[in-house]
Structure formats: structure tokens, C-alpha cells
Amino acid sequence: MKKTPNQLSRVAIAYHPGDTLKEKLNELGMSIKEFSVRTSKPEKTIIAVIKGTSSITSEMAVSFESVTRIPAHFWMNKQRLYDEYQIRMKREQTILQSVSWMRRFPVKEMANRGWIAACSSVEEKVDELFHFFGISTEKAWEDYYLNQELKIAFRISLAHAKEPEAISAWLRKGELQAAEIELEAVYSDKLLRSNLMLMKQLMVDQPEDFYQKLQSLCSKSGIILINTKCLPKAPINGATRWINDRPIIQLSNRYNRYDMFWFNFFHELGHILLHGKKDIFLEEAGCMEVVRDKEAEADLFASNILLTKEQEAEIIAAHNYTLDGIKASAAKYSTHPSIIVGRLQHLKEVKYWQDKELLPKIDI
């Protein structure tokens, strides 16, 4: 059975001031016609107010005060509460109509992570999603994430993505994380290039707090680096975008592997250095708008920093894939052993790697 507005409402019922006016006229023994004459208001206007089909204006409230001796602020407050109540009731209907939309999101997982509050009712879940995205309607979400209404702020459509709801939630969480970070510098290509080798050395040294130190280096380069665990049905490696002229790298640590973390990181850096502010790059999101040649350029940028093609060829030619051999090659080429192992696996030079110490797992 369809719920009525009164069954849905989570706000106190407010009555139209016309009800009070009707009661007061009965108390005074005054007809509507007489009251209209005394207040210099059309009789049809007074009738509409009593029926609740017309609002009491501030000018009317002052006129009513003179005749009824009920202060104008009472009439105005009564009207305000009633108007708000009506709007809230319409809001309840909007929320109900968005329940099916809400069900397309991984709400339970988002609540488990503390992204939204845990709720029992479907109406509350819809409301939580609206607050999370900073929107007031389902249509607003569609316009922003699917229809590209705000192309300056969000230049990629998720209309062709495999799971636009989960992806949009992941992106939005990144926006909220980024908003809490203050940068130590204003971004410039020169500044970033001056810190590239320090970032690479951090990868080579692999201190326990490497991520915090990397965040600091990014901040000093004018870049926000955040980590947002990917959601179910949104298997994204990372994203690069500009918000308020600040470049943001959002990584998911999807595979929890050290070599993949660093490849994804330098890949996103490549987008910042090579491709500017115009696009958002979502890795593995299935978006048609992703320009494949730009992705290839970012891949090449990351590969050259981690291990050049020439160095890769020398390692393959030597074919010393022992534990000590990989470590020696990593030291020779100033990279991390996991980078070499990952590259060899990618090239199918080795089917798997038995020495887990060279492919460390990380949990950021």
C-alpha cells in the first residue's frame, strides 16, 4: 500500500494560519465579510486564507493584528512553519521516488567505511546519499555525473562507465578527502620535476612511512595525494583531476602491491605533467572519453622513471632471475626489486614469483 505524506513525514505537522483565523472569527462572532471590510482586504482573499489556498503576507499580518489583537509575528511565524512543512512533505516524496536510485549504490559498504551514516530506513539512506554527494535530487546527480552539466568542474561523463554509481561515490569521497588537505606550495611543472627523483628514491628506500613522506613531497610540489580504497563494482586503480586549480591524485591501492602502487602513482604524475587541466583520467573505469594515446603516454612516463626499456633489455639479456640477481639489478639501476619482478611478469618472462619478499604487500 502506498504511504501517505503523513505516514512518511519525519517533521512535526504544521497547520495553515487560516485555521486559526477561522477559529478567531468564530470566537469574535465576526463574519468573513465584516472581517474583510475591517481589514480592507477582498472577501475572496480572506476566504482563500481560511481554506488554506492562499498565504498570509506581512502586510496582511499587520492588518489582522489590528482587528484580532493577535500579533503580526504570530501570523507570520504560523505561515512560515506551514510553508516549511509543505516543502518538507514534498521533500519526503522526492526521497521516496529516489529509493530505486539509492539501491544502485554500495550503500552498505559506504556505511561500513564511515563515508555515510548507517541507517535503517530506505528514506534515511537516500537522504544520506544526497548529503554525501552535496546534491538535493537524483536528477542533480545525473546532471553532474552523467550529463556533464558542470563541464568546468567535471569534464568526464560516467554515462558509459560500467558502474557509474560506485565510481561516482569513489570520486566524491576523494573530493571530500582533498578538501581537508592544505598544500605547502602552488603547483608548477618546474617544482614537480625538481622533486621527481626524490620521489623515486623514496620508492627505492621503502621506509615504513613511505606513503606519508610521499604525501609530503607531493604537497611541496603543489599536488594533493590521497588514497581511497576502491568500492565493490568500481575496480579503479587511480584518478587524476584538477579541482580549484589544484592537481589531485587519487589512488585506490587496488592490488596492495608495492610495484603497482608506484607504477600507478607515476602514471598519474605523467597525466599532470603531460596533459594539463582539461581532462579527468579514470584508470580502468571503462569510460569511452578516456583518450587512449594519453594513457599510453602516461604509461611510458611511469615506465621510464621506474625502469627504462634499455635497462629492461639488459636484465632480460642477462637472464639472472635469482633472488640475488634481481636485487643486484635493482641496485644497479636505482629501482626497487618489485619493479623488476613486476615488469618480468608483465612481459611473461616469468610466470610467477616465488620470493614474496620481492613483491611486498602494502596496506595504506
Side-chain angles (χ1 to χ4, degrees):
M1 185 176 72
K2 186 177 180 180
K3 294 183 178 179
T4 66
N6 284 344
Q7 289 174 308
L8 292 172
S9 180
R10 290 170 285 172
V11 296
I13 295 176
Y15 296 96
H16 193 281
D19 293 343
T20 304
L21 178 59
K22 182 180 180 180
E23 292 174 1
K24 188 61 180 178
L25 292 183
N26 288 336
E27 179 187 319
L28 295 172
M30 187 180 297
S31 68
I32 293 174
K33 184 175 182 62
E34 180 184 349
F35 185 71
S36 70
V37 172
R38 287 179 179 275
T39 56
S40 296
K41 300 300 173 192
E43 187 175 344
K44 64 178 183 180
T45 299
I46 302 303
I47 292 173
V49 168
I50 289 175
K51 287 184 175 180
T53 58
S54 183
S55 300
I56 293 179
T57 65
S58 56
E59 191 269 336
M60 289 168 63
V62 173
S63 296
F64 287 9
E65 178 184 75
S66 299
V67 179
T68 64
R69 294 185 180 276
I70 297 176
H73 66 77
F74 170 87
W75 296 110
M76 292 301 297
N77 191 50
K78 194 87 170 174
Q79 186 67 58
R80 179 186 63 79
L81 290 174
Y82 179 77
D83 291 344
E84 181 180 349
Y85 172 72
Q86 290 297 307
I87 292 171
R88 295 286 183 189
M89 295 309 298
K90 289 180 181 178
R91 182 65 174 169
E92 293 284 358
Q93 289 299 325
T94 297
I95 287 174
L96 262 186
Q97 291 165 5
S98 299
V99 169
S100 60
W101 168 79
M102 175 273 295
R103 295 189 192 280
R104 300 201 299 267
F105 289 85
V107 173
K108 183 177 180 180
E109 182 63 27
M110 293 169 70
N112 288 341
R113 297 184 189 183
W115 293 12
I116 59 175
C119 305
S120 56
S121 73
V122 291
E123 295 92 343
E124 289 174 325
K125 291 175 182 177
V126 172
D127 211 25
E128 276 296 310
L129 275 185
F130 283 166
H131 284 297
F132 175 76
F133 282 106
I135 57 174
S136 60
T137 64
E138 174 185 344
K139 183 179 183 301
W141 177 86
E142 291 176 352
D143 286 342
Y144 191 82
Y145 289 99
L146 302 187
N147 302 331
Q148 294 181 283
E149 290 289 323
L150 296 178
K151 292 187 178 180
I152 294 176
F154 193 85
R155 292 184 61 89
I156 190 168
S157 168
L158 298 181
H160 301 288
K162 296 174 183 176
E163 296 290 340
E165 293 82 12
I167 292 171
S168 68
W170 185 82
L171 285 168
R172 175 59 175 167
K173 181 58 179 178
E175 292 175 17
L176 297 174
Q177 289 174 278
E180 298 177 355
I181 296 176
E182 298 226 352
L183 292 173
E184 297 180 48
V186 176
Y187 175 79
S188 71
D189 287 357
K190 181 179 179 181
L191 196 56
L192 173 55
R193 290 186 186 280
S194 69
N195 286 319
L196 273 178
M197 289 304 102
L198 292 176
M199 294 173 179
K200 181 180 179 181
Q201 190 59 46
L202 194 59
M203 173 202 66
V204 174
D205 295 339
Q206 195 187 344
E208 288 187 7
D209 59 345
F210 82 90
Y211 181 74
Q212 290 73 21
K213 289 181 177 178
L214 183 61
Q215 270 191 316
S216 178
L217 277 174
C218 284
S219 181
K220 291 173 182 176
S221 305
I223 297 172
I224 294 176
L225 172 64
I226 51 178
N227 186 79
T228 310
K229 186 179 178 182
C230 62
L231 287 165
K233 298 184 180 181
I236 303 173
N237 291 330
T240 300
R241 55 194 154 145
W242 292 69
I243 299 178
N244 298 327
D245 288 326
R246 304 193 305 172
I248 297 172
I249 293 177
Q250 183 178 359
L251 299 178
S252 69
N253 197 19
R254 178 180 169 193
Y255 295 104
N256 295 331
R257 264 177 49 173
Y258 193 70
D259 61 316
M260 291 184 176
F261 170 88
W262 283 102
F263 181 85
N264 290 333
F265 170 72
F266 282 115
H267 175 98
E268 304 303 340
L269 274 190
H271 282 312
I272 293 175
L273 277 171
L274 303 174
H275 305 136
K277 304 178 181 180
K278 291 184 178 181
D279 298 302
I280 290 178
F281 295 93
L282 288 172
E283 318 309 335
E284 304 297 328
C287 300
M288 293 178 66
E289 284 78 0
V290 172
V291 182
R292 298 193 183 280
D293 61 344
K294 291 183 178 180
E295 289 298 302
E297 290 169 1
D299 279 347
L300 183 60
F301 176 86
S303 295
N304 285 337
I305 288 181
L306 298 171
L307 188 71
T308 67
K309 287 293 183 182
E310 291 77 12
Q311 293 166 344
E312 171 191 298
E314 289 179 15
I315 292 172
I316 292 174
H319 208 271
N320 185 0
Y321 299 159
T322 64
L323 181 67
D324 290 337
I326 296 296
K327 287 183 176 180
S329 294
K332 178 180 179 181
Y333 300 120
S334 298
T335 192
H336 190 273
S338 66
I339 302 299
I340 297 175
V341 173
R343 188 74 63 86
L344 292 175
Q345 285 182 327
H346 179 70
L347 295 172
K348 295 184 170 46
E349 283 289 317
V350 293
K351 291 184 178 179
Y352 67 95
W353 193 259
Q354 65 275 17
D355 298 307
K356 293 184 179 180
E357 69 174 277
L358 296 190
L359 283 175
K361 297 285 185 179
I362 56 174
D363 185 15
I364 298 172

